[in-house]
Each structure stands twice: as C-alpha cells, then as structure tokens.
Amino acid sequence: MEGEAGERVDLTLLRRHLGAASLAVFLCAAGLPLAAPPPDAAAPGVPRVSDIRAWTNEIYTRVAIDTGDEVSWQANTLRADPPRSLPPRIFIDIRGAGIRDEILRKPVEVRNGLLRQVRAGRFDRDTVRVVIDLERESTYRVFALPGPFRIIVDIDGEGAIPVLPTSPEAVAPPGPVAAGPSPEDPAQPLITPPVSPRASPAGSAVPSAPPAIPPSVESPRAAASHPAPTRKHRVRVMIDPGHGGKDPGAIGPTGLKEKDVVLAIGRKIREKLSGSGEFDVRMTRDEDVFIPLEERTAMANKGRADIFVSLHINASRNRSAEGFSTYVLSRGASNREDLELAARENGVPIGKLQGVKFIIDDMFTGARKNESLRLAKTVNDAVVRHVSTRFPGAQSLGLKQAPFYVLVGARMTAVLVEASFISNAREESRLRDTSCLDGIADGVVEAVRYYGRNGIFAHSDY
Ligand SMILES: [Zn+2]
C-alpha cells in the first residue's frame, strides 16, 4: 500500500513540476509493462541494476544506471532538508529490478561542488531507488537508452539556463497531495524543470522529418541561454572514432572494418590539427576498445570540448550506394535510409529509435543546433573536396539529420561524419588507401580550423 501511495504522489509531482518533455519520457517509461513478481537479483531474466557510472566536473554530470533489460522507472527530486543534513536529491525508482550487492554497499563518491554522491538501495520489495545527492539545486534531465537498457541522468550545474522557482509556495502542489511526502524523505519536492520547449507528444510511431537549416547564426533562445562569456582556452576538439573492441561497426566486402578505418582517420586529424598549437585535440579512444555511446558524449562534456566530431563509415544493403554525408542530431530523419543508419550506429532495432525524440531539444543540444548544422556542412564540403583531389568522382550526399545517440546531450557543437560506404567495393578499396584517409582528415581539419578562426564559438560556455 505504501508503495502505491508513493507512486501516486510521484506522478502528481512530475505532472506539476517537470517539463512537458520529461512528462512524455515518464509516460513512455510508465507505459512499459511492470514485472509483477518481486525481483530476485540472482534469477535469470530479471533486470538488475548492475552498474552505476558517473562522469562529472563542477558544472556537468552524467550518471548512467545500467539495468540490462528494459525496466519501468520514475524520476523525481527532493529539496535539501537541513535539519536532517540531507542535500538536494534526484532519485530514480526502478520497478521490478534487483541490484548488485556491491552497489548497495558502496556509493559512488564525487564531491566536486555539483555532485556529492550516488547511492542506491532497495526502497521496497519491488523497487530499487537510486539517489543522486547534489551539492546544490541543479537542472537535470532523465532519459533511457535501449540495447542494453540504461537510464541516463544529465545534470547541469551552471544555473544560467533554467529559471527555478525557489519558494515552497511556488512548488508545493495543492490539496492533499501537498502533504504527501516522498516515501523516502518527508521533504518538499525540489524543482528542477528540464528545459525543453518543443516536446513531442508521446506515442508517435513515425519520426518527424528534420527542419530546414535555420538562417540565423544563433537562435534567440540559444543566445538568451548562453550570454556569451569569453572562452579562455585553446579550442578544444574531441574526436570520436566510432565503434571499437567487440563492436567492429560496418564491414566491407573484403573484410575492412569500420572501427579500424575511423581510428586511423581520427589519429590523422589529431596529428594535423595539433601541429599549430591552436587546438587542444583529444580522442574518445586511441586504441581498439569498446566505449558505450553515452560515455563518448560524457567524455566530451566532461572535457569541456568546443567541438565534437564522431567519425563513421556508412554501409548499405544497396552495394552501389556511395558518397560522403555529415549529420547533426535530430529527432527523426527524412528518409528510411537515414533511420536505418542511425539504428545501426545506435546498436538498436529501428523500432527503438522513436524514444530518442523526447530528448533532442534538451538544455544542451538545442542551443548548439545551428552551429552544428553549419559545421556539418563545412566538414562535408571540405572532406569531399579534399578526397576528390586524390580520387576524382567522390560524391557528396550533403548535410543530413538523424537521431544518433552519441550526439544526445552533447553540450558543444557536434557532428557525425559518414565518410563514404564501406559496403561499396570501390569505396572500400579507396578506404584502404592512406591518401584517402588523409583527404578525409584534411577536410575535417580545414573545417574545424575555419570555425575556430572565425569566432563561431563565441558562445562557448567555458
Ligand atoms: Zn559507425
């Protein structure tokens, strides 16, 4: 009974205090079937909180909660409770899941000015509760990624983007629910509304087509959200060679692997871009290792990169498909091929892609959209031009948009390059030629230099 009452309170609070997009995310999650029997962590087939991972600096934190199988979950917040020495908290209730014993025993300690710690416990017989203890009230967003299922919490400690109501009167829901505290702590809810002005209704099965490239350099919303502090460091570039380790990416007709090609290109970009001293270039991976998509984004955010370039090679069942394209994040794609590509790069069936649409216009990604579109076009044009000088006839498929998980939550200008088709025998052969890889790298370097030198990053936060 107590658990049921708690659930009702949580739902009401979410409706009142969280943004529309988060409500959609919540409803989406709540619509999942609940596991009826109490979870047994050791039982096969029962989802279980197997790991809690965190990437953090003093203004940004991403927490990933791994459950493996899909679970029903709810997120909510609590204000600080000084008499009980409790800080502001975000908590995630996960139904029908077990939890690994080591996680119960050992909180993830951070204490960096934004995040205090992440801890977890069994809230009741059927619910695992993960609690994020904050140092101060912060804006946050929670979403889930499938395959394997993980719940992601992005916390923004800058405080410049949201306008938070702070008085208890402004936040307490009316009526009897107001007296209904969270089951864990008898405190008022903490208000941290995620910023998402253009949420889509839940349940749309067909992803919408991406919008046209906006004409302005910076949207009014983005400009208002980022009051143009002056950057005090070299332009930081995070190069992200896709795939790696157990994930080879696409494989060509003669066995060339995408993971090896993009790592080689990434190293070339780093070498070429680092030479002048203008750029601080880092890579998400510099060896043949597997890194989850959400970790790549988190690495760029934690490292306060100004530019994020994810490197991939395309593939298609149509063996004659060819050409170069560069993508930015959007909630949908304009054609089936782009959706199939995003599904493959995300490592999920195409039917799973729709959930990502709730999180595109989030507090980080939305403000960077225009800059990302411009960088993507510049990158693609330059890559095609440089490759064409060595290999006449290189085709441009142009600037595109699709729901790539690796771009979700990126705080900086972020693009994803699909540098020709490894499934095309001629292009696969070209990708074995180091001069082609040099051409691709030269194109990315030229575009990044152009952007860095022309002050496109004037709105960079750091
Ligand atoms: Zn790829």
Side-chain angles (χ1 to χ4, degrees), residues 242-243 249-250 258 311-313 345 418:
H243 313 279
E258 178 185 2
L311 299 170
H312 294 262
I313 309 294
E345 299 290 18
E418 293 282 351

Side-chain angles (χ1 to χ4, degrees), residues 154-215:
D154 276 344
I155 303 163
D156 177 45
E158 288 185 295
I161 297 175
V163 178
L164 305 180
T166 53
S167 70
E169 292 77 14
V171 305
V177 173
S182 150
E184 184 212 33
D185 297 298
Q188 292 295 330
L190 162 68
I191 304 310
T192 52
V195 176
S196 186
R198 289 186 290 136
S200 285
S204 170
V206 181
S208 58
I213 300 176

Side-chain angles (χ1 to χ4, degrees), residues 241-243 247-250 258-259 262 310-315 341 344-346 404 416-418:
H243 313 279
D247 172 16
E258 178 185 2
K259 68 172 183 177
V262 293
S310 192
L311 299 170
H312 294 262
I313 309 294
N314 213 331
L341 169 66
R344 190 173 65 250
E345 299 290 18
N346 293 340
F404 291 103
L416 185 147
V417 183
E418 293 282 351

Side-chain angles (χ1 to χ4, degrees), residues 104-124:
L104 288 175
R105 287 197 295 267
K106 196 171 177 222
V108 179
E109 296 280 347
V110 180
R111 297 185 188 276
N112 65 350
L114 174 60
L115 191 69
R116 192 171 290 184
Q117 65 173 2
V118 185
R119 54 195 166 89
R122 289 195 182 90
F123 172 62
D124 61 27

Side-chain angles (χ1 to χ4, degrees), residues 291-371:
I291 301 174
L293 298 173
E294 70 276 12
E295 182 169 350
R296 296 165 188 259
T297 326
M299 290 167 78
N301 287 346
K302 184 185 176 188
R304 304 182 181 193
D306 301 294
I307 307 174
F308 181 73
V309 181
S310 192
L311 299 170
H312 294 262
I313 309 294
N314 213 331
S316 173
R317 287 189 303 272
N318 173 8
R319 298 298 182 194
S320 63
E322 63 177 329
F324 295 81
S325 47
T326 302
Y327 288 79
V328 301
L329 179 65
S330 74
R331 67 182 69 194
S334 56
N335 58 58
R336 179 82 184 178
E337 287 71 28
D338 287 344
L339 273 185
E340 287 177 350
L341 169 66
R344 190 173 65 250
E345 299 290 18
N346 293 340
V348 298
I350 198 165
K352 294 280 189 187
L353 279 184
Q354 59 176 309
V356 81
K357 67 176 174 289
F358 301 121
I359 53 180
I360 302 304
D361 289 319
D362 71 6
M363 53 189 154
F364 302 145
T365 308
R368 297 281 174 260
K369 184 75 179 274
N370 291 359
E371 291 173 3

